[in-house]
Amino acid sequence: MNAGASRLRPADGPRYRLRDLFTPLETLLASGGDVRLALDPQSRLNAYGCAPVPSDEVWNFASSTASSISESAYERAALAREELVHKSLFDEVDVAFDARVEDMRDELRSHLQIPPRVDVVFSPSGTDSQLHALFLARAALGRPPVAIVVGSDQTGSGAAATARGHHFSSLTASGVSVRKDAPIAGLAGDSIALPLRDAVPVIAQRRDADAEILRAIETTVARGAPVLLQIMDSSKLGWRAPSDACLDEIARRWPGKVKIVVDACQMRLGRRRLRFYLDRGYMVLVTGSKFFGGPAFSGALLVPKGFSRALDQDAEIAPGFFDYASRSDWPKGWPALRSRFESRPNFGQWLRWEAALSEMAAYYAVPGAFRARALAELEAGIDSMIALTSSLSAVSAPRQTGVDDEEFAHATIFPFTLLRQGKPIPIADTSAIYRALARDMNGDIDGSAADREVAAQRCLVGQPVRIDLPDGTPHAALRLCVGARLVTEAWSPDAAKAQRNLQHILDRIAHVIVKIELLLGRADGAAQVTTSVSGV
């Protein structure tokens, strides 16, 4: 019997009741996650300024961080709950729930055009999925690997903890209180962080990333340790590493000693590119809550054929890992592993994935030619606006592109630093302006009626990403983001209408940039902005 067996619910323990599904839908959508999902009692927004109910009055260009749920996705979640309630009249809630989650695996595979041999492990967030990948790598390798994280400066805030098998929050999605950054019993290990930024002479992706990755693997393997290499596609700034040539070199030099997991949580990669990774035997971290615009958080780990062989009845399960997964998270094709986890339906996780699948279906229903055209036109328009705005300085975002990238040969994340009198503003001021963009600032701007109208519009952009400039001073970049919902809403079989829709999106982005300039140009500077938004 493994050490975690005692964690299983006893036969006479609490069952999930039908009435649990009658909790208000917005409450369910914000449940079953860590503290990042908690809603502020006054604003009813989470830490990212997003609501669990549709919020059309807020313009959302923040898909690299989080989005509020759309009206159509909210309706999908409501219908899904209604259907589960109906099925639960004839079966136990957890049995009906388990069957629906299994169907969702097929639906996700269908949208992403990946074969049935690829297994899907659901989770409350991409961060939780990183722990799942670490667990599976340990099982496949037979011992604890050293996790090497490529793009450690541009992945999720919890990745530094999950790479080492540590708790990334003070609360697990199963509701267990833990000590943040403390080791997870039986899962903790070593990790190596490999940042991607190179601040000299300009902010750009480092040119020696491949060499550094190979060096880190070589050093680790030389001391007898296997490797879990977490690669990036794409980062918070839209970057990818390592190169395909580097991946070929890793496969040639260290067969069987390096397991690879792709951080594709942003989901800004073509479906052919996704299959390229899976065909190579890599695990892939995905979410429905970044590019696709589902409500935060929803994670999944795509697992290629072969890993399930390591998950027999004797596979060791770290005792602390039982708090990070439940039975329905694992595919039904893994019965031995499933049987060792508690049947604990996570209604919030499920409904957020229902919403995300709705967004995926809508996006891929748009003709591929229009998806590519829309992303190309939005890229050109946003690049031009940033370049022509003296108070914004674009952050270089080189990408390795090819036929596998499909529409994602075009950038969808546009990072920039904020300038005052030609110099980057302090990181605290950037954060203050980020918060002010999400607020009605009409009463805080002295100017024309047009200026006050601009200031009143609430806008969400990607959270600040810290960037250290060549002088060592910490600054931050904001991000304008193009997500699937913008493409879906712009599409029309009427070409002229579709073009007008794309122009309307660009007009809104121009509005956001003007609001940034108004906030930057206030007579008292960003200090006054900081004071105005201190309560956000």
Side-chain angles (χ1 to χ4, degrees), residues 45 58 432-444 452-460 515 519 529-536:
L45 303 175
V58 181
I433 287 177
Y434 163 76
R435 296 192 299 271
L437 284 169
R439 292 191 58 182
D440 178 349
M441 299 296 289
N442 174 41
D444 297 86
R452 292 195 298 274
E453 181 181 353
V454 168
Q457 179 60 52
R458 296 164 58 202
C459 323
L460 292 177
K515 183 171 181 178
L519 294 170
V529 176
T530 304
T531 301
S532 299
V533 301
S534 60
V536 177

Side-chain angles (χ1 to χ4, degrees), residues 55 82 130 162 182 258 288 309 321-322 359 403 449 454 465 509 531:
S55 183
E82 181 180 326
Q130 289 175 321
T162 57
V258 179
R309 288 194 296 268
F321 184 63
F322 283 90
E359 301 287 6
V403 66
V454 168
V465 176
I509 291 171
T531 301

